Amino acid sequence: MIVYYSLVLLVVILTILPLFNNQHWIFRLGDFLKVHVFYLTLILSSIGLVLYDQIDIVFHTLLLIIVLFHGITVLKYTRLYRLPIKTKSSDSSSTISILSANIYQYNKNYDKFQNLISKHNPDIFITLESNSDWEIANRVLEHNYPFSHKVTLENTYGMHLYSKFPLSGIKEHYFVADDIPSLEVHFHLKEGYHFVVFVVHPPPPSPTEEVNSKERDGELLSVALRLNEINKPTVVIGDLNNVGWAKSTSLFMKKGNLIDPRIGRGLISTFHAKYFFLRIPIDHIFHTAEIFVQSIKKLEAFGSDHFAIWAEFWIDHKNDIQEDEIIEIAEHEEQIINDYIKEGIEHEGNRD
């Protein structure tokens, strides 16, 4: 019974810690492990029912509360959570496909990744953690992707965007640190549609990287502010090193007027590619209400510690069916956002 009660204590701790407004990685760990905690609690509850007479009613009640608490969130990321059916109209753009992959800078399986691109043939693809070796290796793809923008870094925060469409405007942003880029890329389609792809890859809170989430949260919320300035149909894509239900992601979505296309479809856990029992959904595609995601999925492994994430979408300015999925930001949250951004800028990262 010692093991049982120890596991109960663990799920209680991992449930409570994220409720505190503390950005240290220990407090944020429970955000990443919410689904794992949910399933572990279900198992513990089942064991508790088998051993009902040996376990105090307090523990049964506690586990039930934890199951319900996490289950409300997990349910949203299943097909049981119903959303309105969205169909293309005559006012819609053609379907656009996009792929984002954290290729893992030290991964040398260039051929596997290039075969992945050739197989799925996206209109736009993005690589994260791509350094000079990856830039050189991927030149073989440029005959099919004549338009690109490259931010080649050796610090695991490089990013490259390749496109079949011309790039009509590009801005590199360094919102919280001069070695953490994000990309704002504008596209004007021949059909007359203007949309933006915003590529992000903030640092994660972890014992081996950043001790807290200040840079990550500041980066994401700075992107959200920029989206308000742009006010165009936008796809935000990349390795956000965050989960969709975290407080900072919620603020990011509210401030940026963004929708999570995973809701009603599935978790689509993209990391860690090599350890299925540790997988969490940290590679994301978010979008504004004028963007309609037809499909979203992770692709097959190619040697990285992440799976690539893929989506197909269209643009429709006249269809407002998704407006109800935008959550309005509360007045008190505006100050929280400003504080997070300020702290993210002031924080000194642990990178060399």
Side-chain angles (χ1 to χ4, degrees), residues 14 20 36 54 77 115 126 142 160 240 256 279 291 326:
L14 289 173
F20 289 90
H36 300 76
Q54 301 178 45
Y77 294 88
N115 291 339
I126 294 126
E142 292 184 13
H160 294 63
L240 274 65
R279 284 180 189 162
I291 302 284
I326 302 294

Side-chain angles (χ1 to χ4, degrees), residues 98-100 126 197-200 235-240 284-285:
I98 189 167
L99 178 155
S100 173
I126 294 126
V197 172
F198 222 116
V199 184
V200 291
V235 171
V236 181
I237 190 167
D239 173 5
L240 274 65
H284 291 275
I285 297 170

Side-chain angles (χ1 to χ4, degrees), residues 271-309:
F271 175 88
H272 195 289
K274 297 178 182 178
Y275 307 109
F276 72 91
F277 52 89
L278 290 177
R279 284 180 189 162
I280 51 178
I282 61 173
D283 298 272
H284 291 275
I285 297 170
F286 293 100
H287 61 90
T288 55
E290 308 93 338
I291 302 284
F292 290 78
V293 172
Q294 177 175 300
S295 64
I296 178 172
K297 61 184 178 181
K298 66 183 178 185
L299 303 180
E300 56 270 29
F302 60 93
S304 173
D305 51 355
H306 290 248
F307 292 101
I309 191 164

